[in-house]
Amino acid sequence: MSTIHDEKCDKVTLLTGRDDIYSGVTVDQNLLAKTVTLFERQLEQSLIAWRQAKRRGIWLSIPHDQTELIPTAQKFGFVLHHAKPEYVMLTHWLDESDLNKLPSYAMSTVGVGGLVVNKKREVLLIQERFTNVKDYFTIPGGCLDMGESIEHGVEREVFEETGIRAHFRGILAFTYKAQFRFGHGDVHFACLMSLDENEENQKIKFDPLEVAASMDVLDGREQLLEPDRIEVQLSNPNRSIWDIMMYRKKSIDKK
């Protein structure tokens, strides 16, 4: 831990942290001064030291209970990068001879859908409760949780929405939508799912908070639909990148 004395003869602890291979530093947030006044002097002296050491990019994580330090960091050139419940991350690119090479935060969400097929070659479909597309059916699915794998996420989503325990077998296809949420993209994986021998006769239990499908919605017909009755269509042909939805109009099966 390095310390210096500023012009007021106060001892200031320089900010240090983990160096990376790109001549950057991720600051140890445990070293942050506890008051705005001390932090201002600490950051000013640390920036001098980083520039002398030819550091290029600085990653400064400020804990949620010290957010009063953020305006001071911004005054010295730091910009907001991303935020989580535990902290706010700011960055500062110091190398004036090169463009800012610091990577942006994650730009896409990841979604999954499970194509569940039983031995009768029937496919499990749902009608979503919250959707702009009415009277259509799609495979159960949703967004992955933070740090969750595709395999675990699709098994979880299928079970939460339908009560069916199915098992991931592989990825059938994926799509990418450039403008999905908050200006970020969305990657969606359609996954093949299967049932074990003792799971073929599971009862379907739709989640009423997410799924609108029921025996009544399906006109009293079975809730497992034949694969050859499913169409794959482009939901919006005017987009430069189309998102593909598996669905079937209710009117197809009306007699």
Side-chain angles (χ1 to χ4, degrees):
M1 182 183 300
S2 300
T3 59
I4 62 172
H5 290 81
D6 67 3
E7 58 186 12
K8 296 183 179 181
C9 296
D10 291 329
K11 184 181 293 186
V12 177
T13 300
L14 290 180
L15 293 171
T16 58
R18 187 180 71 253
D19 296 341
D20 60 44
I21 61 175
Y22 306 103
S23 297
V25 178
T26 299
V27 175
D28 182 353
Q29 64 180 19
N30 295 315
L31 300 179
L32 297 179
K34 300 304 180 183
T35 69
V36 172
T37 301
L38 287 177
F39 177 66
E40 183 171 359
R41 299 208 298 271
Q42 180 187 49
L43 189 57
E44 182 179 23
Q45 296 299 324
S46 297
L47 283 167
I48 292 173
W50 287 326
R51 287 190 170 97
Q52 290 175 344
K54 298 189 182 304
R55 296 302 183 191
R56 305 180 75 203
I58 309 299
W59 298 83
L60 177 62
S61 173
I62 296 183
H64 69 91
D65 57 354
Q66 288 186 274
T67 53
E68 69 276 6
L69 304 181
I70 293 176
T72 299
Q74 291 176 310
K75 184 175 73 172
F76 282 98
F78 281 82
V79 295
L80 296 174
H81 187 267
H82 69 273
K84 288 190 174 183
E86 302 83 15
Y87 66 85
V88 175
M89 179 67 76
L90 298 96
T91 63
H92 194 347
W93 182 253
L94 301 181
D95 188 352
E96 297 179 355
S97 67
D98 198 0
L99 296 175
N100 188 341
K101 298 295 179 63
L102 296 177
S104 61
Y105 194 52
M107 297 181 293
S108 296
T109 56
V110 180
V112 290
L115 184 65
V116 183
V117 184
N118 65 10
K119 285 189 174 181
K120 298 178 182 179
R121 292 183 54 78
E122 295 171 324
V123 177
L124 177 64
L125 298 179
I126 65 168
Q127 185 179 47
E128 295 179 330
R129 181 181 178 189
F130 302 103
T131 177
N132 294 323
V133 185
K134 301 300 182 182
D135 296 333
Y136 290 86
F137 294 91
T138 186
I139 55 179
C143 289
L144 295 184
D145 291 336
M146 185 70 70
E148 188 176 33
S149 67
I150 292 175
E151 298 93 321
H152 181 271
V154 71
E155 291 179 358
R156 173 185 56 77
E157 283 288 346
V158 169
F159 178 73
E160 288 178 356
E161 294 188 354
T162 69
I164 296 296
R165 292 285 186 187
H167 307 285
F168 173 86
R169 289 293 178 262
I171 294 174
L172 294 171
F174 72 91
T175 61
Y176 178 73
K177 185 185 295 184
Q179 295 290 328
F180 177 66
R181 185 178 291 140
F182 308 121
H184 290 178
D186 175 64
V187 183
H188 193 89
F189 293 92
C191 304
L192 179 63
M193 313 288 288
S194 67
L195 303 171
D196 289 341
E197 189 74 30
N198 60 347
E199 296 173 331
E200 288 286 330
N201 297 319
Q202 295 181 73
K203 297 290 186 181
I204 298 174
K205 300 177 182 178
F206 288 111
D207 178 3
L209 298 179
E210 295 192 52
V211 179
S214 66
M215 292 295 286
D216 293 335
V217 172
L218 293 173
D219 301 323
R221 300 175 63 81
E222 290 191 2
Q223 294 165 326
L224 293 172
L225 308 176
E226 293 291 343
D228 58 6
R229 307 301 298 276
I230 299 172
E231 301 174 3
V232 178
Q233 294 192 9
L234 301 175
S235 62
N236 189 342
N238 296 319
R239 301 180 69 95
S240 58
I241 299 179
W242 296 331
D243 53 307
I244 299 176
M245 178 186 296
M246 296 190 64
Y247 69 91
R248 187 201 68 171
K249 284 186 178 180
K250 286 199 302 183
S251 59
I252 292 177
D253 267 2
K254 286 186 177 179
K255 295 183 178 180

